[in-house]
């Protein structure tokens, strides 16, 4: 399946709910709207949509939110996906606070990989980043449980809200040595209407290189295309991966200062059943209404192909205006 710029779409991100038990400042406001857990799509409604994407050749599915572990029928959806074996990779992005008791069960239900949002390793900064207090131990327990559960990989996502001090970077490096994870650093995006803050791709790469005392070695991905015999990382997303001189692998996701629009291979499904063509643009198409009117998989697949031809070539970068949908309503 290709869009009008001949980019192959093989990866879908599905936001199951807008609800979240954290209030990270780059994502959502302090108030959580009560309607965020009402009018959710049922597993069977999602299966019609996902069946259409399967027919069109999508290979990878990522479940997001909000916090996807708050979706009340998550186990049912995973069970039905496991029975169908539509996707070669089913993964999830979570804040990790609810993961400790469910990690093994999710792995047994067919969840292959998990990414955990983790923006600081000290309690005070973590409280500020999440808008909550006392959650750091639960998230760390969730990370440990994920590592013990047998997932194909566990990745940590850290949003760079502003430049980090060298001491903060060294603290993260210490945890990279402790946990066998792949740590990914994500560029701050101005979803709350404020200005782009940096650091840029080049600035962050230079800081890590200086602190590590040696060059970062490029690492290939083996999700979207076949890899050579070089060290590789499983993934269908946009991250650029490097091995640190000490051995751990880190990922860079910098859509503002290091755009990957020319190779973008994914679309997003919002929790209210809309197909969003770009994270940083407001182009959307209503799918759930068509499903609820009885449209089947084949006809829906044809509709999705036509909608994909409306994708833009790229977003505006650091000068972009804030999207009308907030991050927490997209599942970014």
């Amino acid at each position: 399946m290709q869009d009008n710029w001949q980019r192959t779409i093989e990866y879908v991100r599905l936001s199951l709910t807008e609800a979240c038990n954290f209030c990270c400042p780059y994502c959502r406001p302090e108030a959580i709207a009560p309607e965020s857990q009402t009018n959710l799509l049922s597993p069977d409604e999602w299966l019609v949509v996902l069946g259409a994407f399967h027919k069109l050749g999508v290979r990878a599915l990522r479940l997001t939110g909000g916090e996807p572990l708050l979706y009340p029928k998550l186990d049912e959806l995973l069970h039905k996906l496991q029975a169908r074996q539509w996707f070669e990779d089913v993964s999830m992005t979570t804040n990790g606070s609810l993961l400790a008791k469910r990690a093994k069960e999710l792995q047994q239900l067919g969840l292959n990989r998990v990414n955990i949002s983790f923006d600081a390793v000290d309690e005070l900064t973590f409280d500020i980043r999440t808008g909550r207090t006392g959650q750091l131990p639960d998230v760390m327990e969730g990370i440990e449980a994920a590592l013990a559960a047998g997932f194909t990989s566990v990745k940590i996502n850290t949003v760079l809200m502003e430049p980090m001090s060298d001491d903060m970077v060294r603290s993260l490096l210490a945890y990279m040595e402790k946990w066998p994870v792949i740590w990914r650093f994500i560029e701050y995006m101005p979803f709350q209407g404020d200005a782009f803050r940096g650091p840029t791709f080049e600035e962050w790469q230079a800081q890590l290189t200086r602190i590590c005392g040696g060059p970062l070695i490029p690492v290939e991905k083996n999700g979207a295309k076949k890899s050579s015999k070089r060290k590789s990382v499983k993934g269908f997303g946009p991250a650029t991966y490097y091995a640190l001189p000490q051995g751990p692998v880190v990922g860079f996701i910098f859509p503002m200062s290091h755009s990957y629009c020319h190779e973008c291979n994914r679309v997003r499904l919002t929790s209210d059943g809309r197909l969003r063509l770009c994270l940083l643009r407001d182009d959307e198409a209503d799918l759930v209404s068509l499903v609820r009117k009885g449209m089947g998989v084949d006809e829906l697949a044809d509709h999705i192909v036509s909608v994909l031809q409306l994708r833009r070539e790229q977003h505006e970068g650091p000068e972009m205006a804030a999207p009308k949908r907030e991050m927490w309503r997209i599942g970014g």
Side-chain angles (χ1 to χ4, degrees):
M1 176 175 60
Q2 292 187 326
D3 65 10
N4 53 327
W5 301 98
Q6 286 71 57
R7 294 172 293 203
T8 299
I9 309 303
E10 58 183 358
Y11 174 28
V12 169
R13 294 175 62 101
L14 191 170
S15 176
L16 292 171
T17 175
E18 295 177 356
C20 188
N21 54 331
F22 284 2
C23 291
C24 303
Y26 53 79
C27 181
R28 67 174 305 127
E30 188 67 27
I32 299 178
E35 60 269 21
S36 62
Q37 283 287 66
T38 60
N39 298 319
L40 296 175
L41 274 71
S42 69
D44 287 339
E45 288 172 330
W46 279 128
L47 287 173
V48 176
V49 176
L50 294 176
F53 279 105
H54 165 66
K55 179 183 178 182
L56 294 170
V58 165
R59 301 166 59 201
L61 171 68
R62 175 168 294 277
L63 304 176
T64 72
E67 172 48 53
L69 293 178
L70 292 176
Y71 179 64
K73 296 185 178 181
L74 175 61
D75 290 2
E76 178 184 347
L77 177 61
L78 284 173
H79 177 74
K80 290 181 175 180
L81 286 171
Q82 187 179 41
R84 287 161 174 79
Q85 293 293 303
W86 281 342
F87 307 106
E88 64 184 70
D89 186 66
V90 179
S91 57
M92 175 183 289
T93 296
T94 171
N95 65 34
S97 64
L98 306 173
L99 187 58
K101 295 181 179 180
R102 301 186 65 183
K104 187 60 182 178
E105 176 188 14
L106 294 171
Q107 189 271 338
Q108 292 172 340
L109 283 169
L111 191 68
N112 304 123
R113 300 184 295 122
V114 63
N115 291 4
I116 301 171
S117 301
F118 193 64
D119 291 331
V121 296
D122 66 281
E123 192 159 11
L124 177 60
T125 306
F126 190 86
D127 289 350
I128 294 171
R129 291 287 186 269
T130 60
R132 294 287 184 264
T133 59
Q135 296 295 315
L136 181 59
D138 289 341
V139 175
M140 287 188 165
E141 187 180 355
I143 294 171
E144 298 280 0
L147 289 170
F151 292 114
T152 304
S153 75
V154 177
K155 296 177 182 176
I156 303 294
N157 292 341
T158 296
V159 175
L160 298 172
M161 291 192 63
E162 62 271 324
M164 282 191 183
S165 69
D166 285 2
D167 285 343
M168 293 179 70
V169 175
R170 290 188 183 98
S171 296
L172 293 179
L173 291 174
Y175 276 91
M176 291 180 207
E177 295 291 338
K178 175 182 177 181
W179 291 329
V181 300
I182 296 171
W183 212 296
R184 286 127 54 91
F185 298 97
I186 302 175
E187 189 169 39
Y188 178 81
M189 289 175 278
F191 267 81
Q192 301 303 324
D194 48 1
F196 171 72
R197 301 179 184 183
T200 65
F201 183 98
E202 291 76 15
E203 290 168 342
W204 184 242
Q205 185 179 34
Q207 186 178 13
L208 280 181
T209 299
R210 175 172 51 79
I211 292 173
C212 292
L216 310 184
I217 308 302
V219 173
E220 294 184 357
K221 288 186 292 186
N222 63 1
K225 58 184 178 180
K226 293 292 184 180
S227 171
S228 70
K229 293 182 180 180
R230 294 174 58 188
K231 188 174 183 180
S232 63
V233 173
K234 177 68 175 179
F236 287 81
T240 302
Y241 290 99
Y242 297 92
L244 303 180
Q246 299 90 335
V249 173
V250 298
F252 289 26
I253 303 176
F254 280 64
M256 308 300 290
S257 64
H258 198 74
S259 172
Y260 51 85
C261 293
H262 65 286
E263 58 182 15
C264 181
N265 66 341
R266 90 288 316 281
V267 291
R268 288 170 168 80
L269 296 168
T270 62
S271 64
D272 55 354
R274 302 184 72 85
L275 171 60
R276 188 174 179 92
L277 301 179
C278 173
L279 172 64
L280 301 176
R281 287 185 177 275
D282 286 310
D283 304 317
E284 295 182 348
D286 182 5
L287 298 185
V288 67
S289 294
L290 300 177
V291 172
R292 289 174 176 170
K293 290 177 182 177
M295 183 175 286
V297 167
D298 292 345
E299 193 176 357
L300 187 63
D302 291 340
H303 178 70
I304 290 171
V305 170
S306 66
V307 169
L308 283 175
Q309 307 318 304
L310 302 176
R311 291 185 96 204
R312 310 288 185 90
E313 183 177 12
Q314 61 186 28
H315 58 73
E316 286 83 2
E319 305 305 318
M320 62 168 271
K324 293 179 182 178
R325 268 197 197 247
E326 301 91 338
M327 177 72 82
W328 60 278
R329 299 205 62 232
I330 298 171

